Amino acid sequence: MDKVDLKTVYRTADKQHLVFLNRIREAQPDRAVLTEYFGDRHWHHECLEACVERGMALAAEKGHPFSWLTCTNAGSAEVCRAALALLGISEADLKKGGYCDPTTKSDLRILARPGIVIRLSRNFDKQRGFVNGALATVCESLRGNSVFTARLVGTGNMVLVHPIEENGEVFLPCCYGYATTVRRAQGADLFHGCVYFEQKKRVATRGYGYVACSRFKSREGCHVFGKLRRSDFLPAGPEQEGEILERGYDSVSSSDDEGKGMEYALADQGEYDADPVVSMDMGNNLVDFLVSTEDPADVSQTECKRTLADFAAGASAEAGDAPVYEEMGVCSELPVREEVWGENGELLVYGGTATPE
């Protein structure tokens, strides 16, 4: 009988990379581990557009696409827009493109311009390599933005991309390939790229830090953009004793010395579109709720109290109707706080519980 010897093949042979991955897989890393591992590959002194440009320059230098991994579809779209802008593509240009696959949840239309990186989204020809998740570079347009050829990254095989129809919709089986979510990247082998924990109020899902970093083949190819927070590197599985679970001073790395958790008060809310659990958790941090206006003098104390009362009543009603809030540790009655008034007599923070009088 013939025998087949099975050998374990690892994604990386980089020992330093493996040591780091083993650490963050088992337990939340401390600040020193994160700072030492990422070093100058922690991009936090420049804006996103500048860092996307750096990534594209590395792609040209190394000959491999530079892939960004984000928590949400909105984050991926933000990176792709920045990349397209750097290629001289405007919003007006995008309106002329073909619709991308709705399963990708991207609203960016596809332009068939040579050199643009796309990500295939359907399994049409596995033998040739036209499979979901495969990266390719547009080569030549055959019919405007609707039919074009593309060269697969890695194998170099050529594929034909053309519109398909499904459930009455006509679209191209692809999206832009400059960024994708951590969840969609599971199973991928990436030469280099950047992890972007773009959610401003909520920490990354448990295990996301490990999954994201383990996609890359080496330590040199693994970058991170923005603040380096311990709370974004929680291991998969149940909560462990001593973990930092919320963003704040104890979560950020030693190189991030901005105040204690001001992102809770001033964060953009656009990150919640892709995660239903996150969406349910919106608006329940009344402790951190601030009333702000362009002209504080135009808001009376009575109006501020009414605004907070309406907000609190809605949050309390939601918490009572949805059992998931109890599981997430969100209580309907919040701690008592002192009232904080501005110089012009406006109420900045309401003092009381979640059901003010």
Side-chain angles (χ1 to χ4, degrees), residues 197 202-204 208-209 227 229-234 247 251:
F197 297 114
R202 186 179 177 87
V203 300
Y208 264 35
K227 291 185 178 181
R229 298 182 175 92
R230 296 180 62 198
S231 55
D232 287 326
F233 289 87
L234 293 168
R247 293 190 170 179
S251 172

Side-chain angles (χ1 to χ4, degrees), residues 44-322:
H44 60 113
H45 291 307
E46 297 178 290
C47 65
L48 177 64
E49 290 73 15
C51 291
V52 170
E53 187 174 17
R54 290 177 64 177
M56 296 174 74
L58 284 173
E61 176 186 341
K62 303 291 185 180
H64 295 275
F66 190 90
S67 300
W68 286 72
L69 301 183
T70 66
C71 292
T72 67
N73 296 306
S76 295
E78 183 183 8
V79 173
C80 288
R81 284 185 185 278
L84 295 173
L86 290 168
L87 294 174
I89 296 174
S90 65
E91 290 295 327
D93 294 329
L94 287 174
K95 292 180 180 180
K96 302 175 184 177
Y99 289 104
C100 69
D101 192 333
T103 63
T104 65
K105 298 183 180 180
S106 173
D107 61 351
L108 298 175
R109 295 191 181 188
I110 303 299
L111 294 178
R113 294 190 181 181
I116 284 182
V117 179
I118 60 172
R119 185 182 306 277
L120 304 178
S121 58
R122 299 290 170 128
N123 297 319
F124 281 160
D125 189 343
K126 292 185 178 181
Q127 185 174 1
R128 181 171 290 276
F130 197 126
V131 294
N132 182 24
L135 291 177
T137 303
V138 176
C139 292
E140 182 182 3
S141 170
L142 302 180
R143 185 185 298 169
N145 294 314
S146 60
V147 181
F148 56 90
T149 58
R151 186 181 301 278
L152 295 176
V153 173
T155 65
N157 290 343
M158 296 292 291
V159 295
L160 179 66
V161 182
H162 58 83
I164 64 174
E165 182 177 357
E166 185 176 86
N167 298 325
E169 294 183 277
V170 178
F171 52 85
L172 293 168
C174 63
C175 63
Y176 289 110
Y178 299 99
T180 189
T181 61
V182 174
R183 182 172 298 180
R184 287 196 177 94
Q186 294 186 64
D189 292 327
L190 304 175
F191 182 81
H192 56 182
C194 187
V195 182
Y196 178 22
F197 297 114
E198 82 284 1
Q199 293 175 296
K200 298 179 177 64
K201 294 182 69 174
R202 186 179 177 87
V203 300
T205 302
R206 298 189 72 93
Y208 264 35
Y210 170 77
V211 172
C213 294
S214 63
R215 299 308 91 199
F216 302 108
K217 295 183 177 181
S218 67
R219 175 183 180 180
E220 181 185 1
C222 183
H223 301 71
V224 66
F225 172 75
K227 291 185 178 181
L228 193 57
R229 298 182 175 92
R230 296 180 62 198
S231 55
D232 287 326
F233 289 87
L234 293 168
E239 180 181 331
Q240 300 179 19
E241 183 178 356
E243 288 183 335
I244 303 299
L245 303 177
E246 296 183 0
R247 293 190 170 179
Y249 180 76
D250 293 328
S251 172
V252 298
S253 68
S254 56
S255 61
D256 292 319
D257 55 1
E258 293 92 341
K260 300 186 178 181
M262 277 305 293
E263 60 269 25
Y264 282 99
L266 304 178
D268 183 356
Q269 307 243 347
E271 76 248 26
Y272 294 101
D273 65 324
D275 191 333
V277 176
V278 176
S279 299
M280 289 188 291
D281 195 35
M282 286 182 62
N284 285 278
N285 291 319
L286 187 58
V287 173
D288 301 299
F289 183 75
L290 298 178
V291 175
S292 62
T293 62
E294 295 183 0
D295 185 1
D298 292 338
V299 181
S300 67
Q301 298 179 15
T302 301
E303 289 173 334
C304 286
K305 287 184 177 181
R306 185 182 301 113
T307 300
L308 281 169
D310 293 341
F311 177 89
S316 179
E318 278 192 7
D321 294 339

